[in-house]
Amino acid sequence: MMIPKTHPRYTSLMLREKISQAMKRGIVHETGLIAHGRGETFDYLIGERTLPVTKGAEKTAAACLIDSTHPVISINGNVAALAAKECCDLAKTVGAQLEVNLFHYDKERVLRVAKVLKENGADAIRGLHPDKKIPDLDHSRANCCSQGIYKADVVVVALEDGDRCQALKNMGKTIIAIDLNPLSRTAQTATITIVDNVVRALPRITEWTKQISPDETQKIIQDYDNEKYLREVLDYITHRLRNFEKAGMELF
Ligand code: ATP
């Protein structure tokens, strides 16, 4: 479908189109469309832009990645459809691995997601031959690679489900979650939550990793408070909704 650049929701509609095309190509599961819709709702509420308060979360995520010895970016269908290149760029910048991990597991879809990553510059991709299980997780997302997510000290997840986020945390890992819904179990469970669209958040984290020096990382991590950040995001959304009557559509 041709979307004119002048359309007020151009960017949002382009992302929707990408997800829709990726579902037709067997990269996104049909339920991924619903997950995307939930994300759109929250993106709408934050004004479809990165909130100023999110800077601290991005910076801390970058600091954790710089400090990590074995970082992994977990990839599912929606993430591959929307931000394959951004994932590959971040992986290259911080020396992270990319591991495909699907909720609705299907070997063929894993291969298709891996192909998208390859086309966007990934060198090595994990997840094709999972040989370990994340403890205390009953669904197929428990499958992972011993040299990838299983061994990781820092895992970046997006469009994640809360169960796996908690199970990964229980393994002692630092979890960086990119999730537009500040109320989701993932957002509430992660070590660092970035309430932003994955397409905006990933390049910003990559940029921060280039700006922070290694001797700054510990202080950035120590000073960060994820609960406080999530409260600030909710306060922002509440304020915006309360003032809608006054400011009307200008807010949106
Ligand atoms: P949880 O188990 O964490 O409560 P959930 O069941 O609410 O998760 P899912 O439907 O599994 O959520 O996953 C979708 C999540 O990803 C939602 O929280 C949604 O807001 C978020 N999301 C959807 N699209 C994007 C996007 N493009 N960028 C960032 N987050 C997104």
Side-chain angles (χ1 to χ4, degrees), residues 2-236:
M2 170 62 194
I3 301 161
K5 280 206 161 136
T6 48
H7 194 290
R9 303 220 92 76
Y10 176 77
T11 309
S12 172
L13 291 176
M14 286 303 288
L15 294 184
R16 199 180 273 191
E17 190 62 18
K18 270 192 181 178
I19 285 283
S20 155
Q21 292 299 330
M23 196 205 82
K24 288 177 192 149
R25 285 163 44 218
I27 292 156
V28 167
H29 187 262
E30 60 196 17
T31 57
L33 302 186
I34 300 166
H36 183 78
R38 190 179 309 196
E40 276 191 353
T41 310
F42 285 96
D43 212 0
Y44 204 91
L45 292 176
I46 65 168
E48 295 174 331
R49 63 180 186 272
T50 305
L51 299 183
V53 74
T54 295
K55 183 174 143 187
E58 295 164 346
K59 206 172 161 183
T60 311
C64 285
L65 286 165
I66 291 170
D67 271 8
S68 64
T69 51
H70 197 84
V72 176
I73 305 172
S74 181
I75 308 284
N76 60 28
N78 285 47
V79 173
L82 295 177
K85 179 158 186 328
E86 290 80 354
C87 288
C88 294
D89 288 349
L90 177 60
K92 281 212 176 99
T93 311
V94 297
Q97 297 190 42
L98 297 160
E99 180 164 332
V100 181
N101 178 276
L102 306 180
F103 186 74
H104 296 277
Y105 181 81
D106 163 359
K107 179 81 195 200
E108 292 304 310
R109 193 157 72 89
V110 173
L111 293 171
R112 285 193 286 269
V113 170
K115 187 164 174 270
V116 173
L117 293 172
K118 271 246 145 70
E119 287 164 358
N120 282 277
D123 300 328
I125 299 152
R126 295 210 182 265
L128 307 184
H129 307 289
D131 57 345
K132 276 279 185 189
K133 278 196 187 292
I134 299 166
D136 306 323
L137 200 58
D138 290 335
H139 47 75
S140 61
R141 289 200 88 173
N143 297 324
C144 65
C145 294
S146 50
Q147 296 306 306
I149 285 177
Y150 195 82
K151 189 177 153 191
D153 55 346
V154 176
V155 186
V156 179
V157 298
L159 286 104
E160 181 62 38
D161 67 282
D163 290 6
R164 191 172 79 122
C165 187
Q166 182 66 65
L168 289 169
K169 269 269 300 286
N170 292 349
M171 290 174 82
K173 300 175 193 305
T174 296
I175 309 300
I176 299 167
I178 303 169
D179 192 333
L180 279 160
N181 178 4
L183 301 167
S184 78
R185 289 174 307 157
T186 300
Q188 297 286 331
T189 311
T191 322
I192 300 152
T193 309
I194 296 169
V195 182
D196 202 3
N197 198 309
V198 72
V199 300
R200 294 190 298 267
L202 286 163
R204 290 174 64 96
I205 300 170
T206 304
E207 201 44 50
W208 276 115
T209 63
K210 295 174 188 165
Q211 292 182 26
I212 298 169
S213 78
D215 51 339
E216 282 180 283
T217 53
Q218 276 309 306
K219 175 146 176 43
I220 293 171
I221 295 166
Q222 274 160 19
D223 288 351
Y224 181 70
D225 181 341
N226 204 49
E227 267 182 44
K228 181 169 169 273
Y229 164 66
L230 288 172
R231 264 198 315 276
E232 284 168 347
V233 172
L234 287 171
D235 282 349
Y236 178 88

